[in-house]
Amino acid sequence: MREQTSAKIFVLSDSLGDTAELVAKAAAVQFNSNANKIIKFPFVIEREQIDEVIEQATQEKCVIAFTIVNTNLKNYLIEHAKKNNIPAVDIMGPLLQAIQEVTHKNPKGKAGLNRQLDEDYYKKIEAIEFAVKYDDGKDPRGVKRADVVLIGVSRTSKTPLSMYLAHRNLKVANIPIVPEVEPPKEIFEISSKKIIGLTTDPTILNQIRKERLKSLGLDSNANYASINRILSELDYAEGIMKKIGCPVINVSNRAVEETAAIILKIIKGGY
């Protein structure tokens, strides 16, 4: 029976090394994942660190797999691995070169960018979950934790705006203003600069509400869509907004993206 051989895979990275480790595991399993041991060396940013790894590698039967984007450091590793007859595989290099040839742009050569993208992704997910949790006044306690609070009568795009802004990493709560329901006290306890009032043209709102009722299989002449009811709601909401002293945006005939752009400008102090 032929003796089974194994090798160690040294994974080097100028960041966490997760990418190189995943590739190394995928390759190792094609031979014997238990026999081929993977040893990770993250945050390799100095030549001295490479020297230490090379010295250790010369005493082992091993392969070096690496994701190092700094050109000088990468070349230093390749050169010294070659001198010591250690196979070294540049996992990202060929793909970076291919993208560079197609785009005619040079890679940034900066470590950790993927991790930064991940952090941005998780912030976005957190903001989206926040918008869902505190949508339509479900829990007014979210008002004090929000980056932005949208207030307005029904069908003034509060929910789609909340979701759009959440994709810009903003935690948004929205509160419906209804004459029969006292507004939550929380909206009077935070800075008016965090609150955006939304209003609209009553005729346009009348049509939107009628269509909404039809889509639900309800009578489009219900009080919810009557022009008198709408005028009453808008007047009441206007009074609340004046009391708070918050900016007010008329969303009539505006796309969500356009209104969101105005909101972003307001909260950045440029409107």
Side-chain angles (χ1 to χ4, degrees), residues 23-113:
V23 174
K25 285 180 177 178
V29 77
Q30 295 296 322
F31 298 90
N32 187 321
S33 59
N34 293 321
N36 295 305
K37 185 177 180 182
I38 296 170
I39 303 173
K40 189 162 68 169
F41 299 86
F43 303 110
V44 176
I45 56 174
E46 302 287 346
R47 291 188 174 191
E48 289 76 10
Q49 292 171 282
I50 290 176
D51 291 339
E52 291 174 7
V53 174
I54 293 293
E55 183 179 354
Q56 184 177 342
T58 57
Q59 301 170 24
E60 308 274 0
K61 182 187 291 184
C62 79
V63 173
I64 292 176
F66 65 91
T67 51
I68 294 177
V69 294
N70 180 282
T71 302
N72 292 331
L73 201 62
K74 178 175 70 174
N75 291 339
Y76 184 83
L77 170 59
I78 293 171
E79 179 185 348
H80 283 69
K82 187 175 182 180
K83 281 182 181 179
N84 290 277
N85 296 315
I86 302 167
V89 180
D90 181 1
I91 290 175
M92 290 181 63
L95 183 56
L96 288 173
Q97 184 177 353
I99 295 172
Q100 182 176 358
E101 289 173 359
V102 172
T103 63
H104 304 293
K105 292 181 179 179
N106 295 322
K108 294 179 179 179
K110 184 178 178 181
L113 290 179

Side-chain angles (χ1 to χ4, degrees), residues 28-213:
V29 77
Q30 295 296 322
F31 298 90
N32 187 321
S33 59
N34 293 321
N36 295 305
K37 185 177 180 182
I38 296 170
I39 303 173
K40 189 162 68 169
F41 299 86
F43 303 110
V44 176
I45 56 174
E46 302 287 346
R47 291 188 174 191
E48 289 76 10
Q49 292 171 282
I50 290 176
D51 291 339
E52 291 174 7
V53 174
I54 293 293
E55 183 179 354
Q56 184 177 342
T58 57
Q59 301 170 24
E60 308 274 0
K61 182 187 291 184
C62 79
V63 173
I64 292 176
F66 65 91
T67 51
I68 294 177
V69 294
N70 180 282
T71 302
N72 292 331
L73 201 62
K74 178 175 70 174
N75 291 339
Y76 184 83
L77 170 59
I78 293 171
E79 179 185 348
H80 283 69
K82 187 175 182 180
K83 281 182 181 179
N84 290 277
N85 296 315
I86 302 167
V89 180
D90 181 1
I91 290 175
M92 290 181 63
L95 183 56
L96 288 173
Q97 184 177 353
I99 295 172
Q100 182 176 358
E101 289 173 359
V102 172
T103 63
H104 304 293
K105 292 181 179 179
N106 295 322
K108 294 179 179 179
K110 184 178 178 181
L113 290 179
N114 190 51
R115 189 171 71 258
Q116 290 176 23
L117 288 173
D118 286 344
E119 288 171 358
D120 184 68
Y121 171 77
Y122 288 120
K123 284 180 182 177
K124 184 180 296 183
I125 294 300
E126 185 181 359
I128 292 170
E129 290 175 345
F130 186 95
V132 171
K133 183 175 182 179
Y134 298 110
D135 178 48
D136 205 32
K138 289 175 185 174
D139 186 349
R141 291 176 299 179
V143 166
K144 292 189 174 181
R145 295 178 50 214
D147 298 315
V148 185
V149 179
L150 305 179
I151 63 173
V153 302
S154 175
R155 315 311 296 175
T156 48
S157 302
K158 294 187 300 299
T159 296
L161 278 168
S162 295
M163 297 306 297
Y164 186 92
L165 293 169
H167 279 83
R168 302 295 293 270
N169 294 357
L170 289 173
K171 293 180 179 178
V172 185
N174 74 75
I175 304 291
I177 303 298
V178 185
E180 293 79 13
V181 180
E182 189 73 21
K185 59 182 175 52
E186 286 84 356
I187 64 173
F188 301 103
E189 296 173 347
I190 63 172
S191 170
S192 60
K193 293 179 181 179
K194 290 177 62 175
I195 301 176
I196 304 292
L198 303 175
T199 189
T200 189
D201 179 89
T203 305
I204 293 174
L205 186 56
N206 173 252
Q207 291 300 316
I208 292 172
R209 288 191 175 184
K210 281 185 175 182
E211 291 302 320
R212 175 60 175 166
L213 289 170

